[in-house]
Amino acid sequence: MGLRDVVERTPGLRTLLDRAYRLYGRRVEVHLANTPHHIGVILDGNRRWAKAAGGTTAYGHQRGADKISEFLGWCAETDVRVVTLWMLSTDNLSRPADELVPLLGIIEDAVQGLVDAGRWKVHPVGALDLLPARTTELLKQAEQDTAHIDGLTVNVAIGYGGRQEIADAVRSLLQEHADRGTSIEELAEILDVEHIAEHLYTKGQPDPDLVIRTSGEQRLSGFLLWQSAHSEFYFCEAYWPAFRKVDFLRALRDYQLRNRRMGR
C-alpha cells in the first residue's frame, strides 16, 4: 500500500495534510510577484487517475472536466490573462468509439459550463473540420456567446495538433496571397515568421509564458509547437483530476525563479 492509499483511508491524516497544504499555499502565494500572462496546460492523466481510483475511463474524464473551472478560478486570482487547455488532440480522435463518444460529450458539457458561468471568453483552438458537426457547432456558438466578456480568455484546444496547426496556418497564408494575386516567387521574397504567426489558431494572442503538463510525463506531444519556442515548462507528477491549488502555486513559484532569456 502506497502513501496515497494510506492517506485516502485515514480521514484524520487527510484533514491534517489538507490544512498543511493550505498553509503552504498561502505562504507561496504571498511571495508571488511575476506571474505569467498566458499559461498552456496539457490536461494529462485522467485515465490513469481513474484506473488508480478503481473507476471507469469516462469517470476519469469527467473528474478532469470538473477540475477546469476550479483551475480557471485560481488563474483569475493572478495576472493570468490567457489560458490554453489541451482537452483533445487530433491523435485522440482515433480512439475507439466507446471511449471517444462519451469523451466528446463530456468536453461539450465542459465548454457549455464555461459559457454558462459568464466569466470566461471562450475561443476554440483546433481543426474544427475534423470534429463531429455537433461539437463544431457548439464550439462556434460558445465563442459567439462569450465574445463580449471582458475577462480571462480560455482557449479550448479540441481536435488540436501542433503540426496540424502549422499546416493550416501555411495553407491559410497561401490562400490569402493567392486571393490577392501574389505569386509564389513574390511571397517567397517577403515571407517571415510573423506572416505565419498571423494565421495560427492563437493569432493576436501573446505566446504562452508557461506550459504545465500533469501526470509526470515530460514531453509536449505537439502542444503549441510554434508558440512555445520561448516558453518555460513545468512538469507535475499529479494526475490532472488530482491537481491542487498548491501544485498550481508551485508551478508559478518555479516560473518566477526562472531566468527567462527569450532565446537570447
Side-chain angles (χ1 to χ4, degrees), residues 7 24 58 69 153 204-205 233 253:
V7 172
Y24 175 78
S69 60
T153 294
Q205 298 181 1
F233 304 108
R253 182 188 62 180

XYZ file of all heavy atoms in Angstrom, residues 7 24 58 69 153 204-205 233 253:
72
model
N -3.208 7.706 3.070
C -3.863 8.995 3.313
C -5.355 8.909 3.021
O -6.193 9.391 3.792
C -3.204 10.102 2.462
C -4.009 11.402 2.563
C -1.770 10.328 2.912
N 0.751 26.091 3.387
C 1.880 26.196 2.467
C 1.498 27.034 1.253
O 2.267 27.887 0.805
C 2.322 24.797 2.021
C 3.405 24.799 0.973
C 4.733 25.039 1.313
C 3.099 24.565 -0.363
C 5.724 25.048 0.349
C 4.083 24.569 -1.336
C 5.397 24.809 -0.978
O 6.369 24.821 -1.935
N -14.452 6.961 -18.441
C -15.364 8.106 -18.517
C -15.396 8.880 -17.195
O -15.467 10.115 -17.183
C -16.766 7.642 -18.896
N -12.974 24.437 -14.157
C -13.477 25.702 -13.613
C -12.722 26.102 -12.348
O -12.473 27.296 -12.109
C -14.984 25.612 -13.330
O -15.259 24.584 -12.397
N -9.331 34.965 -21.186
C -9.572 34.235 -22.430
C -9.180 32.779 -22.230
O -8.068 32.487 -21.782
C -8.749 34.826 -23.590
O -9.210 36.145 -23.869
C -8.899 33.974 -24.851
N -3.071 36.954 -32.651
C -3.466 38.106 -31.851
C -3.268 37.933 -30.365
O -3.466 38.878 -29.602
N -2.880 36.746 -29.942
C -2.666 36.474 -28.519
C -1.168 36.394 -28.204
O -0.377 36.045 -29.084
C -3.323 35.160 -28.114
C -4.823 35.108 -28.286
C -5.400 33.778 -27.841
O -4.689 32.885 -27.386
N -6.707 33.628 -27.979
N 8.685 25.489 -19.126
C 7.902 24.263 -18.962
C 7.949 23.789 -17.513
O 8.983 23.864 -16.851
C 8.433 23.161 -19.883
C 8.467 23.553 -21.331
C 9.667 23.797 -21.971
C 7.286 23.721 -22.045
C 9.710 24.189 -23.297
C 7.314 24.106 -23.371
C 8.531 24.340 -23.998
N 5.573 29.599 -8.696
C 6.807 29.922 -7.970
C 8.023 29.497 -8.782
O 9.016 30.231 -8.884
C 6.823 29.217 -6.609
C 8.066 29.556 -5.771
C 8.145 28.691 -4.534
N 8.274 27.281 -4.876
C 8.365 26.296 -3.990
N 8.303 26.588 -2.689
N 8.497 25.052 -4.369
